[in-house]
């Protein structure tokens, strides 16, 4: 295929050349109606490129032909049979993917280290999740992806499950054995969905972890805004084989997705694909080399431990993304939250994920020498000045297995059923009616339907005192928590 072509951008150029008078949305009329003060910040090009897909990029009779061409080029670029673009981010795409495989009341294996958007998908769909728990690294206080043996065991115990949803890479750059999990799923006759939101770059360089489409995944969801060059909310579905029907997927996406899709998302997805096909190897060569230099320098600083290949082992990660620089800062006597806040306040360096133990930065092909210099200088300064940072209250880090909570109700039933707000001291043993997701990275400690334990509550409450943000609970201070009313709890069998 001709990857020099960019059908969406070409259609935008043609739209501008024609000079159409638009009598439908968007109401800003390609920026003519926008507040000049807004134009000054955002630029005229943003509004000029905000065009309807139908009767804008396409006419009514062509009916999405421009988008279809762009999606076919993307599928060819990443080695998929079919691709669909989504303008609602992978938070919606992953819900769509789940609905394409399992329906209300049906079982789906789900890696329990999933983002809150996955748990939300379980709640909305009424799918019955079978949690496949990750491996807990007691030294690092970090969850590594489930392994093929874990999936095999879950499928043997749940032969009626419709498929598996796996998360890889994680927020910390650790990757699962996708090939091994796919082989297990296919032996049992079910599809594998991979939430590869952090993996947009993986198809374009051989020195990066395996790309899901290359190792047997049936459906991969990718957030191109995370590690690629597309704007926020840019997401792609990639499919291969016949275990997931593309028409079913498209209908589920139509059920959940917007009818006012963004041409800005489509155009940047189209342009990113061309960039990666033409220049991806060279650009990622430079990014990998840059990450290696930073890793070497920062890893030599006293008090900072940069996660590396030591986590690639049985019971740990299968692979590690070299572009993710995860730094354990406990040796500095501070938390990852404090490290992230200090770097932002004192050096205007904004990091990625942070938790009690660590903070990370992700490099992409968009980083340059100045970004490298500031990353290194800011981290060096953090190591030098950490002793001046006020010590945080201790966090009750959970022991292995403590966050593998018992599910006693369906997440949907617990979330939508009768609930009450109770003091945290009275919540042990009750059934959670809300998610409690430290953010970032946004993996729920509590999911609706799980029985609340003392260890989970202690981790959350002491975490909040130390700077943890839990934005999705009704009471972010976590003095109280939302639980299922006693009368609605399941009776003991």
């Amino acid at each position: 295929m001709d990857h020099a072509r960019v059908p969406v951008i070409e259609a935008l150029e043609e739209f501008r050349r024609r000079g159409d008078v638009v009598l439908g949305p968007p109401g800003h009329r390609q920026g003519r109606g926008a507040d000049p003060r807004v134009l000054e910040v955002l630029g005229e090009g943003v509004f000029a490129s905000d065009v309807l897909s139908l009767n804008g990029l396409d006419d009514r009779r062509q009916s999405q032909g421009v988008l279809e061409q762009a999606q076919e080029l993307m599928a060819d670029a990443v080695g998929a049979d079919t691709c669909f673009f989504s303008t609602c981010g992978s938070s919606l795409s992953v819900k769509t993917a789940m609905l394409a495989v399992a329906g209300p009341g049906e079982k789906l294996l789900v890696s329990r280290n999933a983002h809150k958007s996955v748990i939300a998908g379980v709640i909305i769909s009424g799918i019955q999740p079978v949690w496949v728990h990750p491996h807990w690294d007691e030294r690092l206080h970090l969850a590594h992806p489930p392994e093929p043996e874990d999936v095999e065991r879950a499928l043997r115990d749940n032969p009626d499950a419709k498929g598996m949803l796996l998360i890889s890479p994680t927020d910390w750059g650790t990757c699962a054995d996708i090939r091994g999990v796919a082989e297990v799923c296919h032996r049992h006759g079910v599809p594998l969905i991979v939430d590869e939101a952090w993996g947009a770059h993986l198809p374009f360089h051989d020195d990066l972890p395996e790309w899901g489409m290359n190792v047997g995944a049936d459906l991969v969801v990718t957030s191109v805004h995370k590690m690629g060059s597309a704007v926020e909310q840019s997401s792609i579905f990639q499919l291969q084989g016949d275990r997931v029907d593309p028409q079913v997927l498209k209908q589920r996406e139509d059920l959940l997705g917007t009818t006012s899709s963004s041409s800005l998302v489509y155009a940047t997805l189209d342009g990113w694909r061309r960039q990666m096909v033409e220049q991806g190897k060279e650009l990622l060569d430079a990014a990998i080399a840059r990450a290696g230099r930073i890793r070497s320098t920062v890893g030599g600083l006293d008090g900072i431990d940069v996660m590396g290949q030591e986590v690639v082992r049985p019971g740990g990660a299968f692979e590690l993304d070299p572009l993710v620089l995860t730094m354990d800062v406990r040796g500095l006597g501070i938390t990852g939250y404090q490290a992230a806040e200090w770097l932002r306040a004192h050096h205007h360096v904004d990091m990625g994920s942070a938790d009690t133990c660590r903070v990370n930065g992700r490099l992409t092909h968009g980083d340059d020498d100045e970004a490298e210099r500031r990353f290194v200088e800011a981290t060096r300064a953090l190591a030098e000045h950490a002793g001046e940072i006020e010590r945080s209250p201790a966090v009750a880090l959970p022991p292995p297995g403590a966050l593998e909570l018992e599910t006693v109700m369906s997440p949907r039933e617990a979330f939508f059923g009768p609930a009450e707000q109770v003091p945290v001291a009275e919540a042990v043993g009750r059934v959670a009616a809300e998610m409690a997701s430290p953010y970032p990275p946004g993996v729920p400690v509590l999911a609706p339907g799980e029985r609340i334990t003392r260890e989970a509550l202690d981790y959350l409450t002491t975490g909040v005192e130390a700077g943890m943000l839990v934005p999705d609970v009704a009471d972010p201070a976590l003095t109280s928590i939302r639980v299922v009313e006693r009368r609605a709890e399941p009776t003991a069998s």
Side-chain angles (χ1 to χ4, degrees), residues 122 234 277 467 483:
V122 168
S234 302
V277 171
V483 298

Side-chain angles (χ1 to χ4, degrees), residues 157-433:
D157 293 344
N158 298 273
D160 52 344
K162 298 298 183 179
M164 167 76 190
L165 173 64
L166 182 68
I167 289 79
S168 181
T170 68
D171 289 80
W172 307 109
T174 57
C175 301
D177 179 2
I178 300 174
R179 186 190 300 276
V181 173
E183 290 172 353
V184 169
C185 289
H186 297 164
R187 279 201 304 272
H188 287 264
V190 298
L192 172 63
I193 304 167
V194 180
D195 179 354
E196 209 158 18
W198 288 106
H201 56 312
L202 301 184
F204 301 105
H205 202 286
D206 291 340
D207 292 340
L208 294 173
E210 287 282 12
W211 159 238
M213 286 282 101
N214 289 347
V215 288
D218 299 283
L219 172 55
V220 173
V221 172
T222 304
S223 293
V224 179
H225 63 93
K226 284 184 165 69
M227 295 294 287
S229 298
V231 297
E232 287 291 323
Q233 300 184 17
S234 302
S235 180
I236 310 176
F237 301 97
Q238 289 109 163
L239 298 91
Q240 64 182 348
D242 58 4
R243 292 183 183 86
V244 179
D245 186 335
Q247 293 306 318
V248 170
L249 178 67
K250 189 62 180 171
Q251 288 190 334
R252 301 301 187 269
E253 197 278 334
D254 189 59
L255 187 69
L256 296 178
T258 179
T259 57
S260 303
S261 52
S262 169
S263 60
L264 297 171
V265 170
Y266 288 157
T268 55
L269 282 170
D270 204 18
W272 171 77
R273 181 265 314 156
R274 178 177 63 178
Q275 181 186 31
M276 285 294 103
V277 171
E278 293 180 348
Q279 307 166 37
K281 171 66 166 57
E282 175 186 352
L283 291 170
L284 290 168
D285 272 342
I288 293 169
R290 191 181 306 284
R293 291 193 298 270
I294 296 174
R295 182 181 299 275
S296 177
T297 303
V298 172
L301 298 174
D302 289 340
I304 294 180
D305 183 13
V306 181
M307 190 168 71
Q309 291 297 313
E310 72 280 354
V311 300
V312 178
R313 51 176 170 75
F318 184 74
E319 294 183 279
L320 185 69
D321 186 346
L323 298 184
V324 184
L325 298 163
T326 296
M327 303 179 293
D328 193 318
V329 295
R330 286 177 291 176
L332 298 177
I334 60 175
T335 66
Y337 308 125
Q338 290 176 303
E341 290 163 6
W342 190 92
L343 289 165
R344 179 182 176 90
H346 292 268
H347 288 267
H348 308 299
V349 171
D350 300 341
M351 303 302 285
S353 294
D355 68 7
T356 303
C357 303
R358 76 206 94 245
V359 63
N360 79 9
R362 287 176 173 267
L363 298 190
T364 76
H365 63 286
D367 288 299
D368 56 15
D369 291 344
E370 175 65 7
E372 178 180 347
R373 181 188 66 79
R374 291 185 61 182
F375 189 152
V376 169
E377 288 185 359
T379 309
R380 183 178 288 120
L382 173 68
E384 293 171 355
H385 295 280
E388 303 166 15
I389 300 174
E390 183 180 353
R391 283 337 188 219
S392 174
V395 177
L397 295 170
L403 297 184
E404 296 181 11
L405 307 185
E406 179 190 11
T407 299
V408 297
M409 293 178 67
S410 79
R412 181 181 179 88
E413 184 182 10
F415 186 83
F416 287 114
E420 59 182 336
Q421 199 81 15
V422 300
V424 163
E426 300 175 14
V428 175
R430 300 294 297 273
V431 180

Side-chain angles (χ1 to χ4, degrees), residues 41-71:
V41 175
L42 297 184
E44 295 181 0
V46 170
F47 290 94
S49 299
D50 187 23
V51 179
L52 278 183
S53 294
L54 194 64
N55 288 335
L57 299 179
D58 271 345
D59 63 29
R60 182 176 59 83
R61 292 166 300 169
Q62 195 173 359
S63 186
Q64 302 298 307
V66 168
L67 182 59
E68 286 180 6
Q69 294 172 44
Q71 291 174 156

Side-chain angles (χ1 to χ4, degrees), residues 9 24 34 102 130 147 198 230 268 271 340 394 402 447 492:
I9 294 175
V130 176
E147 296 180 327
W198 288 106
T268 55

Side-chain angles (χ1 to χ4, degrees), residues 112 131 401-411 414 426-434 445-457 460 481-486 488-493:
R112 185 55 181 82
W131 302 124
L403 297 184
E404 296 181 11
L405 307 185
E406 179 190 11
T407 299
V408 297
M409 293 178 67
S410 79
E426 300 175 14
V428 175
R430 300 294 297 273
V431 180
E434 63 181 350
V445 171
L446 299 177
E450 292 181 333
R451 195 171 296 282
I452 300 170
T453 64
R454 169 61 60 194
E455 291 91 344
L457 283 181
L460 289 168
I481 199 154
R482 191 169 178 80
V483 298
V484 175
E485 287 187 1
R486 290 283 193 191
E489 286 187 11
T491 56
S493 56

